[in-house]
Amino acid sequence: MKKYRILFHIDLNAFFASCEEAENPALRNKPIGIGKDSDRGILTTANYVARQFGVKSAMPVAEARKRCPNLLVIPGNMALYQRYSEIFFDTIRTITDQVEPASIDEAYLDVTDLAERIHPVKLAEKVQRTLHEKHRLPVSIGIGPNRFLAKMASDMKKPLGITVLRKRNVKEKLWPLPIEHMHGIGRKTVPDLKLIGIRTIGDLARFEDKHKLAKFLGSQTEAFIAKANGEGSAYVDPSRAEIVHSIGNSKTYETFLHDYASMLAALEKLTEKVVQRLNKKQLATKNVGVQMRSAEYVQRSKQVTLPQHTASYDTVFDAVEHLFDDLYEDKPVHLLGVSVSHLIEQTHVVRQLNIFEAKEPLEKDVHIAKLLESINRHYDKPLLNKGIKK
DNA sequence: TCTGGGGTCCTAGGACCC
DNA sequence: TCTGGGGTCCTAGGACCC
C-alpha cells in the first residue's frame, strides 16, 4: 500500500456553453450565456468571452446584457449536455475505472496505480488534449494527494489548466486564498468567519479557538480545519453517483399563479415529470414533498412519509394534493416543486400487503433493502462527515 | 443584481419505543 | 410518584454546490 495517493479533479470549463460551441462552431469567439431569455431569467453559464465582460453564472440576464450588450442568450438544452457529459465520462473511464462523478461536469479520479507508469502531469495533459481536440471539451485538471487539494487545484487555472497542489505547497499556494474560495464555505458563512478574523484559508488553518469556530461550522469544524491544512479524504468511490437520494422537479412561474385550480394543475404536471423520472430509473419512493415559494420569496415546504414504497402516479399525486392543501393560503405563488426521497430499487419493493399476509415480511424486506443501501453507502469510506453519531 | 433548477447534507425538535 | 437515558424516525428549514 502506498503512503499517499494521487487524485485528479477534472472540471469541464463553462460546460453548457462549451457544449453549445462544440455543436455550433459559429458561436466560438462570441459572448454567449446559457439561460432563459426573460425578465426573470438567470444565466447558468457564460463562456469565457462573455466572462471578460464581467458576465457570470447565476447572473440575471438583464444584468448580463448591461455588462455585455452583444451577449447571445441561448436556452438550455439538458439533453445535449447529458450527451456530452456521457462522452466526458466515457473518455476518462478509458484511462481508469477509478472515476467518481461529482456532478454532470466534474469527476474525481484515483490515478495512483497509473502513476507508476506515466507521470501524472503527462497523463493529465493527455486526457486534456483528448477531450479538447477530439470532443471540443475544454477541461481543467487539479492534481493532489486528496480530494480537497485536487479540487482546489483544478480551480486555480481555468480554462485548460493543469495544476499540481502538493501538501508541502499548501502554505504558499492555498493559505493566501480568500476564505470564500474554500469549497464548502458559502455566502452565509463567510461573514461569520470574517467577524472572528478569518479572511483567508490560512487564517482558518491556524485558528485556535475551535469552540468558537464550531458555532459557525458545526460538526464540520474539524474537517474544515484539516482541509485548510491540506489534509482530507483521498477515497474515490466509483459507485457513489449510482445511488440517487431524491428526485424533484420545480418551476418558477413568471406570472405568479393566483388560484388554487391553476396551482393544482401545475402540481399535476410536476408530479408527472417526477414519477416518470422515478420509473425511468426503476426506483420507488417512500417520501413525497411539496415546495412552494410566495411572491415575497418566502419558501415553505411539506413532506410526508408513505406507509410503503411506491412508483404509482396516483399514490404520489394523492400525497401531493394533501400536502398542498395544508400549504395553500390563497396568496400568489412564485414557485412550485414536487420531490420524492427515501428511494429504493423497485425490485426491492415487496408487493402491496393484503389482509391475509402478515405484516412482518414486508417490513423485514424493506429493512434489508435499506440496510444494504446504507452499507453500500458507508462501506470503506472515511467516517468523517458521514453522519456517524459520536 | 433581485434571484433557475437540479441536487446533497446537516440541524433541531418532537414522537415514540424500550 | 412526576420522571432517566438511549435510540430511531419524521418533519421543516437552511446552507451549499454545479
Side-chain angles (χ1 to χ4, degrees):
Chain A
M1 185 73 177
K2 285 211 158 217
K3 245 200 220 132
Y4 63 91
R5 312 211 57 87
I6 303 173
L7 267 56
F8 281 6
H9 178 262
I10 311 186
D11 195 314
L12 283 147
N13 304 128
F15 178 49
F16 293 178
S18 297
C19 294
E20 298 291 348
E21 290 182 24
E23 279 294 291
N24 182 359
L27 294 174
R28 275 172 230 159
N29 307 319
K30 288 181 185 154
I32 65 172
I34 310 300
K36 200 171 164 204
D37 196 354
S38 70
D39 294 346
R40 295 181 173 273
I42 66 167
L43 296 179
T44 57
T45 329
N47 70 354
Y48 284 87
V49 181
R51 288 183 198 197
Q52 286 184 341
F53 291 85
V55 174
K56 293 180 196 164
S57 300
M59 183 178 272
V61 173
E63 170 66 17
R65 277 251 162 69
K66 265 188 221 163
R67 297 186 185 207
C68 178
N70 292 327
L71 185 73
L72 284 171
V73 179
I74 300 173
N77 180 351
M78 280 315 292
L80 178 71
Y81 312 148
Q82 205 64 56
R83 236 168 51 220
Y84 274 91
S85 179
E86 276 164 32
I87 292 173
F88 167 63
F89 284 107
D90 287 348
T91 306
I92 57 181
R93 285 197 181 104
T94 61
I95 314 278
T96 174
D97 58 356
Q98 291 301 302
V99 174
E100 179 184 321
S103 75
I104 192 170
D105 64 353
E106 265 182 282
Y108 289 97
L109 278 70
D110 187 332
V111 299
T112 313
D113 294 342
L114 285 171
E116 285 172 8
R117 280 172 282 128
I118 173 168
H119 191 279
V121 174
K122 290 268 174 281
L123 178 64
E125 283 168 358
K126 198 180 135 198
V127 175
Q128 188 182 65
R129 207 165 42 235
T130 305
L131 285 163
H132 194 220
E133 290 174 4
K134 214 167 150 191
H135 304 295
R136 303 243 156 243
L137 290 173
V139 299
S140 286
I141 302 180
I143 306 174
N146 58 52
R147 299 167 65 97
F148 178 69
L149 291 186
K151 167 86 181 164
M152 294 304 291
S154 74
D155 251 350
M156 287 176 175
K157 196 175 169 222
K158 286 179 174 183
L160 290 169
I162 292 175
T163 308
V164 181
L165 186 50
R166 297 180 179 86
K167 224 168 260 183
R168 62 172 177 271
N169 299 124
V170 157
K171 261 185 206 181
E172 38 159 317
K173 284 191 172 180
L174 188 69
W175 284 13
L177 296 180
I179 192 66
E180 51 265 43
H181 285 206
M182 184 155 177
H183 187 237
I185 303 291
R187 184 169 58 91
K188 298 278 183 181
T189 311
V190 168
D192 290 339
L193 294 182
K194 287 196 172 160
L195 216 60
I196 56 174
I198 297 174
R199 314 193 74 86
T200 65
I201 296 181
D203 291 338
L204 174 61
R206 290 163 294 185
F207 199 81
E208 284 183 358
D209 190 345
K210 288 181 187 169
H211 191 74
K212 207 185 220 176
L213 209 49
K215 265 190 246 161
F216 306 122
L217 301 182
S219 65
Q220 308 297 302
T221 307
E222 295 286 350
F224 272 117
I225 294 174
K227 285 178 184 174
N229 281 287
E231 314 279 346
S233 164
Y235 181 62
V236 169
D237 180 1
S239 72
R240 194 180 131 86
E242 287 162 24
I243 304 158
V244 183
H245 292 102
S246 68
I247 295 175
N249 277 80
S250 63
K251 187 169 162 58
T252 299
Y253 301 91
E254 288 190 47
T255 50
F256 302 150
L257 300 180
H258 290 273
D259 61 294
Y260 181 89
S262 57
M263 293 177 201
L264 202 62
L267 286 169
E268 267 178 37
K269 279 193 198 166
L270 290 166
T271 306
E272 270 169 34
K273 281 191 198 165
V274 168
V275 172
Q276 213 169 21
R277 290 171 63 201
L278 189 67
N279 280 292
K280 200 173 169 192
K281 288 184 191 285
Q282 288 286 297
L283 295 170
T285 178
K286 207 177 186 235
N287 186 285
V288 177
V290 171
Q291 296 81 45
M292 187 166 114
R293 194 158 69 205
S294 70
E296 296 85 36
Y297 229 79
V298 180
Q299 188 115 15
R300 288 189 59 208
S301 67
K302 235 175 175 345
Q303 50 179 282
V304 67
T305 298
L306 307 173
Q308 46 219 319
H309 286 86
T310 183
S312 128
Y313 171 82
D314 290 340
T315 312
V316 174
F317 187 67
D318 195 51
V320 166
E321 204 173 347
H322 277 97
L323 292 169
F324 180 61
D325 283 345
D326 284 349
L327 281 173
Y328 177 74
E329 46 185 5
D330 197 16
K331 274 165 59 181
V333 156
H334 186 189
L335 168 144
L336 286 175
V338 170
S339 61
V340 294
S341 60
H342 293 60
L343 310 179
I344 64 169
E345 285 175 30
Q346 288 182 3
T347 51
H348 290 175
V349 180
V350 179
R351 107 194 96 93
Q352 185 94 15
L353 278 179
N354 66 44
I355 52 165
F356 300 110
E357 285 174 318
K359 210 180 168 197
E360 287 75 19
L362 175 77
E363 288 196 344
K364 204 171 89 193
D365 282 349
V366 171
H367 178 70
I368 288 168
K370 270 189 179 171
L371 207 65
L372 280 172
E373 187 189 295
S374 91
I375 287 168
N376 283 337
R377 213 177 318 139
H378 289 301
Y379 181 70
D380 203 16
K381 284 185 106 175
L383 298 183
L384 226 56
N385 315 343
K386 282 296 160 194
I388 305 296
K389 305 264 175 339
K390 280 161 213 170

